[in-house]
Amino acid sequence: MKTSCNVFLFWLISLVLIVFILSGCMEDKFDLEKLSDEMELSPKFSAPLARGSITLEDMVDDDGENIVLDSSGTHPYIKMVYREDSIFSFDGNDLFEVNESGEESYTLGNIELGEFGPVSQAITLGQIVDNAETHEGEAQDIKDADGKSIPFPEINDSDPMEIGGDYEVDEIDNFRYAEFDSGEIEITVTNNMPVKVTAEFNLRTKILERDGSLDEDIELKHFEFPIPVGDSLTETFDLSGETLGSVLYATDVALSTPGTDTLVEIDLGGQNLTIDAHSRDLVISGGEVSIPEQILQNQETTVSVGYSGERRLDTIRLAGGGLDLTIDNNTNIPAYLKLSLPNSKYSNGDTVAYEHSISAQSTSSGELDLTDSETIITSMDSLPVEYTLRLESTQDFVEFHASDHVNFSYNLAFDSDHIEYVSGYFGNDTLDFDGDVFDTGIQLFDNLSGDFLLTDPKLKLFYSNTIGIPFTVDLDLVAESEENQQNLNEGDADGLLNFASPTSPFTTVSDTIVINKNTSDIDKFISLPPRQIRSSGTGYTNLGNDPSAHNFITSENR
């Protein structure tokens, strides 16, 4: 059942017929009851044939539904009555509906990654001389002097000692590989040798498969450090646009030194060059990483309610309906969404809210139930929405790309079937009523000819209305009799009928619009006479009303 306005048609036509007495030379009364039902009566006679009388009662059948004799007053009259159950009706769904969709998207983008390091590797003097590929003689002299003191041999920087082997630092545990948008690695080399040295090496990285096999080997940068005895030097490596695996290592190591003129102690196992790597300000755009928790908190958006400009909603109190949500998690990270409508409260005072967890790489649907809720959005054209999206931290490495995203789409849908009460200004709308044809069923005119007088013909429109919106109708009623037609031409000077509407919620206005000779061509309409009537029309809401007007629709009489 729906909040509605129904209009019923009832016409009442008062006929004052010329009551006549027939007289002639016959002495006996003429019995009118013996006349045929098929005869035609005419109030105009040129010759007296019989003597008797015809009364209004003679013209009305006892069981007539459409022809009624009213003899209650001083002047009896015949009423021709016809009732049509509904010539037009409308309900709240014709005037109010919200069906709005939208979408919000959160793209992960670049994310900050926790620092790694320091990770380090010591290259001992013993490893250097054991893996020397040039200057083997000097290397052997140093090796033979282990535990002794000798002048350290000179190795010219134009012809450094080349040292074979790869020297890996400790494995990085933040990622299997990472693609960097920005960040830095600080490479520090400490000279724990007994002599000043210049150390050169290429820094490279390895990306390993999960089973430990090599996936990719990438060259990063060449470093050269002239370092005094017992000192350290640091260089910064910009990671922007670089890819790192979990393994950093030094290779193509070369060493030069001015040597010493004095004796220095040789300790192959204890003397070394130490390489340390430490990161800072890491921002990644992709990779296979252990992702820290990502929180997009207290975000705000709006859901359109479909009313803008002069149209507005003030209060919405619902018995049903909801905000349908579809959440698409395109990431490899479990997500959690909390969504609330701060202007909407349930009857217990709680804010209307929805919480949902979404697995990685999945789509999930849900509904924010608006049953038993009230929303105050005075003069706003949208419903405020607040949401928090959290991406859970991961212990394992997961594939990540900056373009990964979480989308949630929504559809806000309710109409007058769901409302308890809604108010605002619903605008000036036009409703077209379907045309209809109905037979009058009145046969009086079949057996009557001649002149008669329609003293006070009326057509009454009975209606009941529970919708608090001013309503005006341009009603078109046309009488038809064989090939003849006559328009009722009802209404005020502008041809419009104005229907009263309730001024308070949960009340019903029941009233009657009377159409008579002063406001229509009803005398011509009836005199046709009408065998059937065609009806159609157009309705207008808030016609000529100020947008500050207060409209409402309720659940009353639904």
Side-chain angles (χ1 to χ4, degrees), residues 7 50 53 62 64 105 114 142 145 167 172 193 218 222 325 345 353 375 387 389 414 425 438 475 488 533 540:
V7 180
S53 65
D62 292 338
S105 180
I142 296 170
Y167 303 92
I172 302 169
M193 303 277 278
I218 303 170
H222 178 77
L325 293 164
K345 307 289 183 182
T375 300
Y387 67 91
L389 181 65
F414 53 87
Y425 179 72
F438 44 88
L475 186 62
L488 181 60
I533 295 176
Y540 306 95

Side-chain angles (χ1 to χ4, degrees), residues 265-301:
E265 184 181 355
I266 302 300
D267 181 0
L268 296 181
Q271 294 167 336
N272 60 61
L273 292 173
T274 301
I275 302 174
D276 292 316
H278 183 273
S279 68
R280 66 182 183 187
D281 302 329
L282 300 181
V283 177
I284 63 173
S285 59
E288 195 169 312
V289 301
S290 177
I291 296 181
E293 183 181 66
Q294 306 288 309
I295 299 181
L296 190 69
Q297 196 162 11
N298 298 329
Q299 300 299 299
E300 296 183 356
T301 186

Side-chain angles (χ1 to χ4, degrees), residues 14-20 43 55-56 59 76-78 444 448 451-453 455:
S14 301
L15 301 178
V16 176
L17 298 177
I18 299 175
V19 181
F20 49 89
T55 66
L56 292 178
M59 303 180 65
Y77 62 91
I78 291 175
L444 172 66
L448 184 64
D451 296 330
F452 55 88
L453 176 65
T455 60

